[in-house]
Every structure is written in C-alpha cells, then in structure tokens.
Amino acid sequence: MRLTHAPACRLFAAIGPALLVLAGCGDSSAPAGPATPTAVAEPDAPPVEPDRYVTRGEVVSLPDGDQHLRVFHERIPDFKSRTGNVVGMDAMTMPFPLGDGVSADGLAPGDKVEITFEVVWTGEQPWYATQIDPLPADTELNLTPNTANPNSHDGHNHDDHAGHAH
C-alpha cells in the first residue's frame, strides 16, 4: 500500500506558523535553522523546559541540504500549541531537524522508526529530533489521518495557529 501525504500541508498548521515558514509545506528551499533551538527568554526568567514527544512513523526522505529527516508519523494526541493548549497533531509527514549527536545514518526511505523530538516555542528552531530508533520492518503503524472532520486538527480552534490555509 502506498502512503499518501495529501493532508500534510493542512496539518502542518498544528505546530504553528513557524513550521509553515521553515518547512514550506514540502518546499526544501526554506532556510535551515540550527540543529538545537536556542531559547530566548527574559534575563531573569528560568530556562524554558522543552515539551517532549515520542512518535512512530515511516521515513519518507533522508536529510539533504536542509538537514531534515522527513517522517510520516502517527497521531500525537497530547501535542501542545505555541500557547500551551493541548491541540493534538494528526498523522502527517513532518520534517525533523536533527539535534546535536543525532544521526540518520543507516536509515532508508520506507524504514520504520520511533522518533523522540523536543519543542521549544521560544527557540530559533522550535523543534528538533533528539533520538531516532529503528523499528522492526513488520511494525504496524496507524498512519490514518482524522477523517471524521479533516479541518478539526483534533478538535482545537484555529486561534492557536491563525493564518494557515486548509
């Protein structure tokens, strides 16, 4: 069965306008950011703790000039928006910049992986992969998008990421 990635563009909006700018919804000409985000905080503010997520998916493409591993991943029901609201993220193809010490060596398109990534909305690069683990080839993935309401983004409102197109 061939996986389709048509819903990816409208689903990128779940992680905010920064993703749309950096990923260009599949446009590899977007400038690459640093591998690890730099938190921008007030001088007396405590360090910003990243949100961590683990998801499984299938490698779509290996890092090229932009150093992003693209993975069609399963739903992430507890994903938080820039405002801290739990909005969820549907199954989609997403570019993952590789964090310091993370490598895609040994991976190939079609490989199944478990990927851990962190999100720091105040960072120059909001998200990045912190760990990639290969999964057995026969691992069953649930890559079905939310078809009950394709514009719902798992039920959150569009105030969390206004300005994107469906």
Side-chain angles (χ1 to χ4, degrees), residues 108-119:
D111 286 353
K112 295 176 181 177
V113 295
E114 181 178 85
I115 189 162
T116 302
F117 68 103
E118 294 184 353
V119 177

Side-chain angles (χ1 to χ4, degrees), residues 67-88:
Q67 294 302 303
H68 293 170
L69 175 70
R70 285 172 173 73
V71 175
F72 186 31
H73 66 74
E74 295 178 313
R75 294 180 70 221
I76 305 171
D78 60 338
F79 188 84
K80 294 179 187 174
S81 70
R82 178 179 299 274
T83 60
N85 297 325
V86 175
V87 295

Side-chain angles (χ1 to χ4, degrees), residues 33-69:
T36 304
T38 305
V40 179
E42 296 298 319
D44 297 328
V48 176
E49 286 296 317
D51 289 317
R52 288 181 182 84
Y53 303 96
V54 178
T55 188
R56 301 178 319 158
E58 184 174 313
V59 174
V60 173
S61 64
L62 298 175
D64 52 20
D66 67 3
Q67 294 302 303
H68 293 170
L69 175 70

Side-chain angles (χ1 to χ4, degrees), residues 66-160:
D66 67 3
Q67 294 302 303
H68 293 170
L69 175 70
R70 285 172 173 73
V71 175
F72 186 31
H73 66 74
E74 295 178 313
R75 294 180 70 221
I76 305 171
D78 60 338
F79 188 84
K80 294 179 187 174
S81 70
R82 178 179 299 274
T83 60
N85 297 325
V86 175
V87 295
M89 184 187 299
D90 218 342
M92 62 183 275
T93 297
M94 182 171 165
F96 288 96
L98 303 180
D100 294 337
V102 178
S103 172
D105 291 347
L107 295 177
D111 286 353
K112 295 176 181 177
V113 295
E114 181 178 85
I115 189 162
T116 302
F117 68 103
E118 294 184 353
V119 177
V120 179
W121 288 113
T122 58
E124 189 175 312
Q125 167 61 57
W127 75 100
Y128 60 100
T130 58
Q131 186 172 331
I132 303 168
D133 295 310
L135 295 172
D138 61 351
T139 299
E140 291 189 32
L141 301 174
N142 181 357
L143 301 174
T144 305
N146 179 3
T147 56
N149 183 355
N151 293 327
S152 74
H153 299 299
D154 286 347
H156 71 277
N157 68 45
H158 291 138
D159 295 336
D160 291 324

